[in-house]
């Protein structure tokens, strides 16, 4: 029997914005948990009232932009932010925007481009990601070598804390932090420290021109060697990404072999020279069908193909292993990885973000993720890197046989969550240790 008071929720947001029919709820939910209701708040005050109600009734609550992950909220509330979808301000002079969290990431990118501006972070999931989710997840993307990590694009926010209190922090100044930087501390907390209700987002001027150079390769190793050649020549594009043969067909239908995508954002004339140099390096390195893409529609298709592949890996965190090493150590990393996995080209999914020295693996069904992650982490550590995130930290503690290091990390995280969320109401299915 659930404690959720449906009539009180209707009193907060109106009857039309409370959904408790299973068939209607389904389109807003993913995962195995079974919340009893979906609620769609329209403003900060409503979010605060819902969170306070959840606290009063000791009911679990999870939040999403358009779709909510239901893990840990059986019998609880799924809060969908899609009604809070306004761009409240686009300040061209100060290069900032004030955005509600439910604005779809792809819609925001269109509006920003129409204004002649640029918001570099990639959508985590192409169709359903929201701007609030972009910062709640806080994942660095393949352009972060040039533009910096996602967190640097958040200058402030309004947030409803897990107790229902409202926190307002930050301003339009780029340099506005004294002492503890809570703005960036909240990025990547996956909604465990609070719910974004307004975001003050940094923008950049739009690049004058965008080009892509693509090509296919017989092997991952040959393709990656061209990345190292470009870095040695001091050619550092916006991103240079590699997709193995199994996934390349998803990015660009009809592709045979491993697909390389080099993205060049910048100036027209210098971009033309760099594109020619990149195409020459790919061709000399054994690339086939090497092509410089300048047509806007075709360029967007190529980049959207990449985003689709990245979203495929993002959608299955329990079946992916991600690690980083220095970009110039990637030849050894790929060779050693192949010894663990077999032919990388035929593996279910492998991506390389060449400027970041990042590798993402989509694992075959039935793979023991933790067992493979342990091996991959040792491989990466031997080359100066490690498995990504807190899983990597945990595995590093294992390698050093330092249980105390991991214990201190987990106890600090649980203490922080306890401080912010004394009743453990908010997004209980999220583990910051994964």
């Amino acid at each position: 029997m659930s404690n959720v008071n449906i009539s009180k929720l209707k009193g907060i947001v109106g009857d039309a914005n409370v959904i408790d029919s299973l068939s209607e709820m389904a389109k807003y939910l993913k995962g195995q948990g079974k919340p009893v209701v979906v609620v769609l708040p329209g403003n900060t005050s409503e979010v605060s009232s819902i969170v306070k109600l959840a606290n009063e009734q000791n009911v679990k609550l999870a939040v999403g932009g358009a779709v909510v992950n239901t893990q840990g909220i059986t019998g609880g509330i799924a809060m969908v932010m899609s009604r809070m979808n306004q761009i409240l301000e686009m300040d061209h002079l100060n290069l900032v925007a004030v955005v509600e969290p439910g604005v779809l990431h792809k819609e925001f990118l269109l509006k920003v481009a129409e204004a002649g501006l640029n918001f570099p972070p990639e959508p985590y999931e192409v169709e359903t990601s929201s701007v609030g989710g972009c910062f709640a997840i806080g994942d660095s993307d393949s352009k972060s070598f040039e533009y910096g990590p996602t967190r640097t694009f958040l200058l402030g926010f309004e947030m409803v804390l897990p107790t229902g209190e409202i926190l307002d922090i930050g301003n339009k100044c780029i340099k506005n932090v004294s002492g503890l930087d809570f703005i960036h501390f909240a990025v990547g907390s996956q909604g465990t420290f609070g719910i974004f209700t307004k975001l003050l987002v940094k923008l950049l001027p739009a690049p004058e021109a965008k080009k892509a150079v693509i090509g296919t390769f017989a092997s991952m190793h040959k393709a990656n060697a061209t990345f190292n050649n470009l870095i040695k020549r001091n050619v550092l594009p916006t991103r240079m990404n590699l997709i193995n043969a199994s996934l390349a067909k998803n990015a660009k239908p009809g592709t045979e072999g491993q697909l390389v995508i080099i993205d060049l954002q910048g100036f027209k004339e210098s971009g033309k020279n760099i594109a020619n140099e990149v195409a020459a390096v790919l061709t000399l390195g054994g690339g086939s069908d090497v092509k410089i893409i300048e047509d806007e529609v075709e360029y967007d298709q190529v980049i959207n193909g990449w985003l689709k592949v990245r979203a495929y890996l993002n959608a299955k965190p329990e079946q992916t292993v991600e690690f980083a090493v220095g970009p110039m150590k990637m030849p050894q990393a790929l060779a050693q990885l192949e010894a663990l996995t077999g032919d990388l080209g035929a593996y279910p999914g492998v991506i390389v973000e060449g400027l970041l020295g990042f590798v993402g693996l989509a694992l075959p069904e039935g793979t023991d993720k933790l067992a493979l992650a342990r091996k991959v982490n040792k491989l990466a550590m031997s080359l100066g890197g490690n498995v990504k995130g807190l899983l990597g930290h945990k595995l590093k503690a294992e390698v050093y046989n330092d249980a105390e290091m991991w214990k201190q990390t987990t106890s600090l995280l649980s203490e922080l969550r306890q401080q912010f969320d004394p009743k453990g109401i908010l997004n209980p299915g999220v583990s910051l240790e994964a």
Side-chain angles (χ1 to χ4, degrees), residues 191-431:
T192 54
F193 295 150
I195 302 164
F196 291 128
T197 48
K198 283 194 189 78
L199 300 134
L200 180 63
V201 175
K202 182 174 92 171
L203 303 174
L204 296 173
E208 189 181 285
K210 293 179 179 180
K211 292 179 175 62
V213 186
I214 61 171
T216 54
F217 285 79
S219 80
M220 296 287 283
H221 309 283
K222 278 193 167 183
N224 181 72
T226 63
F227 291 172
N228 283 181
N229 285 338
L230 288 168
I231 292 170
K232 285 174 190 168
R233 295 169 75 116
N234 206 28
V235 176
L236 302 169
T238 303
R239 54 182 153 195
M240 44 191 196
N241 297 341
L242 166 57
I243 305 169
N244 81 328
S246 301
L247 272 183
K249 294 177 178 65
N250 295 9
K252 190 171 181 291
T255 301
E256 294 295 328
Q258 338 297 320
L259 177 65
V260 163
I261 299 173
I262 311 279
D263 185 10
L264 296 162
Q265 300 183 11
F267 298 103
K268 277 181 187 161
E269 288 310 310
S270 57
K272 197 176 288 182
N273 297 337
I274 294 168
N276 289 332
E277 186 174 353
V278 168
V281 168
L282 295 189
T283 304
L284 286 169
S288 312
D289 307 316
V290 174
K291 183 180 180 185
I292 297 172
I293 294 169
E294 298 180 276
D295 176 74
E296 197 177 324
V297 172
E298 199 177 351
Y299 171 86
D300 286 343
Q301 284 173 343
V302 166
I303 299 304
N304 284 332
W306 160 254
L307 294 177
K308 188 176 167 188
V309 163
R310 195 69 179 90
Y312 167 78
L313 266 73
N314 289 339
K316 305 197 291 185
E318 68 290 342
Q319 281 179 265
T320 57
V321 171
E322 300 176 327
F323 71 92
V325 297
M328 298 308 283
K329 296 284 180 69
M330 193 58 75
Q332 299 101 296
L334 293 179
Q336 291 179 36
L337 185 62
E338 200 156 60
L340 295 177
T341 62
D343 177 21
L344 290 173
Y347 210 63
V350 185
I351 61 169
V352 176
E353 296 176 7
L355 286 169
L356 304 176
F358 171 92
V359 179
L361 294 172
L363 308 179
E365 290 288 335
T367 304
D368 181 339
K369 173 180 168 172
L370 194 58
L372 181 65
R374 281 195 176 97
K375 293 174 185 171
V376 168
N377 192 57
K378 285 180 180 170
L379 174 169
M381 283 181 69
S382 75
L383 298 170
N386 61 275
V387 163
K388 185 181 162 191
L390 277 162
L391 173 61
H393 182 67
K394 180 180 185 176
L395 296 174
K396 194 187 278 191
E398 275 185 19
V399 169
Y400 290 138
N401 199 22
D402 190 346
E404 189 59 31
M405 178 168 86
W406 178 239
K407 187 180 170 189
Q408 284 179 358
T409 301
T410 50
S411 63
L412 177 62
L413 283 170
S414 58
E415 276 175 40
L416 282 167
R417 282 184 84 164
Q418 175 70 25
Q419 288 288 329
F420 278 84
D421 188 359
K423 289 194 170 180
I425 299 295
L426 194 56
N427 289 316
V430 171
S431 170

